[in-house]
Amino acid sequence: MTQVDQYKGKLGFEIRDPDALSNGSTAVVDTLEEYGHSVRQFQSRNPNLIRLDCDHYRVELRYRRHPIKPTQASAAGADSTETPLRSSLGVTLTPNHPDHCDVELSELLLAMILRRLAEDLDVATVDWLHVPFTLTRAAFLGVFEDAETQAESHAQAAADHAAPDAYPVTEIAADIAGIHAAKSSAPLSPQTTPEAPPPAATPIDAALDTPPLLPQPTNGAKPVANGRLRGRACFEPVEVTVAQLEEHYAAMLQSPDTRATGRHALEARNRARARAKAGMTPPRGSGTAVARLGGLLAAMPQRMIATTSHLLRSPQLRGHLHIVCGATALLALQSSAAVAF
């Protein structure tokens, strides 16, 4: 079978619709997802071109504006009419795997895309694949309407043909009701005439004669079948189960093993607390030494400042200090080129 590389269609417009590309892309995405082809990538780098990447196909929508172009469009049951077109929207369906792509399914998918576009947009003409003539919008959509009408007529004919073969449910219900009425109207007094042997019991008679099963009380006898309990009768009431669990837990807490385990755990916890408290508390002798060292360190800056100020105020160092300050000032002025010797 010859594989087709691309499946093309084109829609013609009598006007220039700037929103045709955006609205058409939305309709195409909805149609693809409706038929099981989810769109993985949407590309719109060109203002007149949109590319859609799916699992099996790549779809391109290209919008073109052109001068008024008279086009002969064929209508159903009539001659072709001249339609002036001013813009067009091309649809190209390219299979990702042409060797494993069904041609008929691809053509049907393109047809459904063009149908959705023709219904949502103000389309004048439709070009389908390699057909040499152009169809009007009404002629293109009429093909789908005729196909749906034929499918409905075939389905109705099949239903009418299969109806006589089936036995109506209402007649079965009427037969069951008649049998029940005949049994209820039978005389209760014994008859002197010999009676005919009763007919063999049918499944319907057995179902009608069987009394309904009554619910069993929860506090009474439990239903037993073949020596085994069945259904909810296998379980005790919730109150009884809770009481049994409480008794079991109380017995476990009062056992010697449980008490010994609890006592050992309490002693281990007390020992751990004692060790942690001992590690955090410093010894007594080291506390006074640390306090004395901290006081000395805090008093050192104050003593250094006092000693320095006392030395600066002494009369023996006052003249020398003045000489040192004057020399420092002269050196600073010379280095900044403010004074030259």
Side-chain angles (χ1 to χ4, degrees), residues 242-326:
V242 171
Q244 294 177 357
L245 290 175
E246 291 179 352
E247 294 177 0
H248 181 66
Y249 292 152
M252 289 179 61
L253 294 175
Q254 296 299 327
S255 64
D257 297 337
T258 304
R259 290 198 300 269
T261 303
R263 184 174 61 256
H264 295 329
L266 182 60
E267 293 176 357
R269 185 185 62 182
N270 294 334
R271 288 196 299 270
R273 288 182 176 178
R275 286 195 299 269
K277 187 176 181 180
M280 296 177 61
T281 304
R284 296 180 180 179
S286 62
T288 47
V290 170
R292 188 182 300 108
L293 180 60
L296 292 175
L297 293 176
M300 283 182 64
Q302 298 179 0
R303 292 182 179 179
M304 292 176 64
I305 295 172
T307 304
T308 304
S309 61
H310 178 71
L311 290 174
L312 293 176
R313 288 199 303 267
S314 63
Q316 291 82 5
L317 295 178
R318 187 175 301 173
H320 301 286
L321 181 62
H322 291 170
I323 294 172
V324 172
C325 292

Side-chain angles (χ1 to χ4, degrees), residues 20 45 63 86 125 162 194 200 298:
R45 299 178 181 177
Y63 181 75
R86 302 190 63 181
T125 61

